Amino acid sequence: MQKIEKFIREIEDFPKNGIHFKDITPLLANPEASKLCLEKLMEMIGSEKIDKVVGIEARGFFFGTLLAQQLDAGFVPIRKPGKLPYKTIAEPYELEYGLDSLEMHEDAIEKGDRVLLHDDVLATGGTARAACKLIESLGGEIVQCNFLIELKFLNGIQKLKNQHVKTLLKY
């Protein structure tokens, strides 16, 4: 994992004071590191049959689409309100100061679809839990929630305790 970890840049005080942001753009810019990262993410999935890969806006789209291609699965974006063009369903989640919401097309998941949820970082777990609720409300079966990075000190995994969670790097 050191080969991947050296391409994760830490930005202090972004997006606000006290946050140590994990920037994956150097990883995305390096083709060898990106390929290795994709290989390791695929290893975490193993031989599971996946019908849909769901990626959370926006950084979950990068490897989410690549995973979908590798798995011969469809890709489904989950976005912030007002960004998707067709009829959507929504799920609110708590922020530090208030509420936000995620949306997904109402026809994105079919009942019984085996779903891989992917995002770049598992922090507090709020967005991932909201994404899981959206998937399950349409009848999807979440096979795995997979992340590039887990910020263990924020205990986000506690909000996903009913899910099978795998992360590549833990901080």
Side-chain angles (χ1 to χ4, degrees):
M1 294 310 150
Q2 260 184 327
K3 290 180 182 179
I4 295 169
E5 195 167 23
K6 74 179 188 176
F7 291 96
I8 307 297
R9 175 172 44 203
E10 187 166 296
I11 310 291
E12 290 191 37
D13 298 324
F14 182 82
K16 61 183 183 178
N17 285 343
I19 303 289
H20 299 280
F21 185 79
K22 303 296 185 200
D23 180 14
I24 67 167
T25 57
L27 174 66
L28 297 171
N30 184 287
E32 291 92 26
S34 288
K35 286 178 193 171
L36 179 60
C37 186
L38 181 59
E39 287 173 19
K40 295 298 181 188
L41 289 169
M42 287 296 296
E43 286 175 14
M44 290 189 327
I45 299 162
S47 61
E48 291 284 357
K49 166 76 172 99
I50 305 293
D51 298 307
K52 302 274 174 59
V53 175
V54 173
I56 301 174
E57 182 177 341
R59 297 182 323 159
F61 295 176
F62 299 128
F63 284 102
T65 54
L66 296 174
L67 288 167
Q69 289 173 358
Q70 292 288 311
L71 294 163
D72 196 28
F75 177 77
V76 175
I78 286 185
R79 302 205 62 191
K80 294 184 178 167
K83 303 284 186 172
L84 292 170
Y86 188 64
K87 297 174 191 168
T88 60
I89 59 170
E91 182 64 39
Y93 65 97
E94 289 183 37
L95 293 169
E96 205 171 330
Y97 301 106
L99 288 176
D100 205 346
S101 177
L102 292 176
E103 293 182 345
M104 180 169 63
H105 282 145
E106 68 179 15
D107 62 353
I109 304 290
E110 294 179 22
K111 187 174 172 71
D113 275 349
R114 295 176 52 81
V115 177
L116 170 72
L117 176 66
H118 174 76
D119 204 4
D120 64 323
V121 176
L122 173 58
T124 64
T127 56
R129 183 172 63 189
C132 288
K133 287 180 179 180
L134 287 170
I135 294 163
E136 290 171 338
S137 74
L138 292 177
E141 174 192 341
I142 301 167
V143 175
Q144 185 183 113
C145 297
N146 106 6
F147 303 90
L148 293 178
I149 297 167
E150 178 185 353
L151 303 177
K152 291 182 68 157
F153 61 95
L154 293 174
N155 293 316
I157 200 160
Q158 291 302 314
K159 290 185 180 167
L160 300 174
K161 56 186 165 196
N162 296 327
Q163 303 298 336
H164 183 63
V165 178
K166 292 204 175 183
T167 56
L168 202 53
L169 303 170
K170 297 176 191 283
Y171 292 92

